[in-house]
Amino acid sequence: MNDARPWPALVVASVLTMVCAVAAGVSASAAGSELSRGPSTAELHAAAKREVAERWRTWATGRIFPASLPYSAEQGGQERASRVGISPGFACAGSVDSKAAKALRKAGCRGVLRATYIDALQGVLVTIGVVALPDEFEAAHAKTAFSAAGAPVPGLRPLAFKGTVSNRFTPSVRQAGSVRQAGPYLVLTTAGQVDGRPARSVGEQRPAIFAFASEISERVLADLSTPRMPDCASQEWRC
């Protein structure tokens, strides 16, 4: 009995085997290309966006709140505000007034970082608060809970440090506030005078002396929210 396959069947089987081998080779090549290719532009932008959103946690607080920040002096030129201290906590509740805290909670507040600065003339204190939200949409929505006209309430609560010039910086001292937003961050300020006088006892308002607070907060916000493209050659990035 002849067990050999008929010639046409053998040819067909050989062709099919070759097609399968080629297909497998193409698939393996495609998979290898996918694994070995560098990140796409879209992937790099997505990574940069994620990195910005995590800066409030991954950056040292001293990087977020530098020891001093420059601002424009009333008389012209530049002066520098000096950092008095940084809060060790970052809980959302208690960092802002209760009405604002409710809005932050609804927006998914991730944390609030605070630091207090004093102006170059040693007469005005300002607390800067960085509020981290889940995304830009929630940050923009939460911003509406704060006064755009500079009213300090509802707003950021001042951060005082015992044994320092900020010792008397209590909520009643607040005379001015501000709110700025970029990306998933709000940056708030609240300002008052070093002598601890309550805002209600102040006669003529002098908004110009508190103007520097917004300026230094914008510098903090710009550093936090400006994306930078990943550098895959750097140990700081994992591509």
Side-chain angles (χ1 to χ4, degrees):
M1 182 176 180
N2 187 358
D3 293 331
R5 290 189 181 186
W7 181 80
L10 184 61
V11 170
V12 171
S14 299
V15 170
L16 288 175
T17 300
M18 185 178 297
V19 169
C20 291
V22 170
V26 170
S27 298
S29 176
S33 297
E34 180 65 22
L35 290 172
S36 62
R37 73 169 176 83
S40 67
T41 300
E43 289 169 340
L44 289 174
H45 280 288
K49 188 175 182 180
R50 289 194 298 270
E51 189 270 335
V52 166
E54 293 300 318
R55 284 177 183 172
W56 74 280
R57 288 194 315 108
T58 58
W59 281 13
T61 51
R63 181 177 180 181
I64 297 171
F65 300 119
S68 68
L69 287 166
Y71 64 90
S72 303
E74 286 186 72
Q75 301 79 14
Q78 279 205 332
E79 293 177 337
R80 300 189 74 88
S82 300
R83 190 183 68 209
V84 178
I86 301 173
S87 172
F90 56 89
C92 298
S95 298
V96 296
D97 295 318
S98 57
K99 184 178 179 180
K102 182 178 179 180
L104 293 187
R105 185 169 61 253
K106 289 180 64 177
C109 178
R110 303 175 68 195
V112 180
L113 308 177
R114 289 186 297 166
T116 293
Y117 287 80
I118 189 168
D119 71 327
L121 297 178
Q122 305 283 295
V124 176
L125 292 164
V126 55
T127 295
I128 301 176
V130 170
V131 184
L133 283 306
D135 53 42
E136 186 172 0
F137 174 81
E138 294 293 357
H141 183 68
K143 181 183 176 183
T144 62
F146 301 92
S147 171
V153 180
L156 185 70
R157 295 179 67 83
L159 177 65
F161 295 91
K162 291 182 178 180
T164 72
V165 291
S166 69
N167 189 50
R168 291 180 288 181
F169 194 21
T170 62
S172 66
V173 174
R174 294 178 291 180
Q175 295 184 46
S178 71
V179 56
R180 298 286 187 276
Q181 182 259 324
Y185 296 107
L186 295 182
V187 173
L188 311 171
T189 68
T190 189
Q193 297 185 63
V194 173
D195 59 15
R197 74 182 73 178
R200 64 178 180 275
S201 69
V202 177
E204 181 183 358
Q205 295 295 316
R206 297 174 56 200
I209 70 172
F210 304 115
F212 80 99
S214 295
E215 187 176 344
I216 62 175
S217 75
E218 287 169 357
R219 292 180 181 273
V220 170
L221 181 59
D223 284 345
L224 266 178
S225 63
T226 301
R228 55 195 182 102
M229 292 300 287
D231 177 6
C232 294
S234 170
Q235 293 184 350
E236 189 174 353
W237 293 89
R238 295 180 62 185
C239 299

